[in-house]
Amino acid sequence: MTYDSNNIFAKILRGEIPNKTVYEDEQVLAFHDISAAAPVHVLVIPKGEYVSFDDFLGKASAETVHGFFERVRKVAHIVEAQEGGYRLITNHGRNASQSVPHFHVHILGGRALGGLLPGDALVR
Ligand code: DGP
């Protein structure tokens, strides 16, 4: 997997495109999704160059992976999503409709989110 340093999240990390930051440290940036699908919709991205979850787990150290997911939890608490509940989504590749090729986790919450997939998605 080749990382495209012109993807939109790389531009956000370089400060070329503004974002509404929820949390930032040396490892991650968390910001509000531009097209929120729920009252809480935050994206958490590592600062390292990883195309997707699959790429991240394949390349990053166990310490980095652990640190990333600890921060996802921290961000979920910052936006106070833990009490009512939240869903994590990460899309890898074409079938999952990944649209930005920089690994990111969606934190969704703030309302009842319903079933796992939109509609009654039948596997055919
Ligand atoms: P995915 O489909 O999993 O690759 O999700 C990409 C998400 O990124 C999508 O929910 C919309 C969001 N997004 C795309 N461009 C921007 C942007 O410029 N700013 C912000 N804040 N979010 C963006």
Side-chain angles (χ1 to χ4, degrees):
M1 264 173 258
T2 310
Y3 183 81
D4 170 13
S5 56
N6 279 322
N7 77 76
I8 204 112
F9 293 170
K11 290 179 180 174
I12 285 175
L13 284 172
R14 289 195 296 268
E16 295 166 14
I17 292 175
N19 73 92
K20 291 186 179 168
T21 300
V22 174
Y23 175 80
E24 182 171 16
D25 65 17
E26 72 288 354
Q27 296 283 330
V28 308
L29 176 67
F31 53 98
H32 293 284
D33 194 292
I34 203 164
S35 50
V40 172
H41 190 170
V42 177
L43 301 169
V44 188
I45 67 175
K47 291 194 171 177
E49 297 185 346
Y50 305 101
V51 175
S52 69
F53 171 80
D54 201 82
D55 192 37
F56 184 55
L57 269 284
K59 289 181 182 158
S61 68
E63 187 186 359
T64 299
V65 172
H66 184 82
F68 178 81
F69 283 99
E70 278 198 332
R71 287 163 169 89
V72 171
R73 177 176 183 266
K74 184 184 182 100
V75 172
H77 283 239
I78 289 170
V79 296
E80 298 182 342
Q82 87 282 1
E83 184 69 26
Y86 60 88
R87 179 174 294 163
L88 304 182
I89 294 177
T90 185
N91 293 313
H92 162 71
R94 196 173 58 249
N95 282 349
S97 302
Q98 181 181 1
S99 60
V100 180
H102 180 112
F103 171 49
H104 52 281
V105 169
H106 300 252
I107 302 174
L108 292 151
R111 68 167 169 81
L113 296 169
L116 189 59
L117 294 172
D120 289 319
L122 293 174
V123 178
R124 292 177 196 275

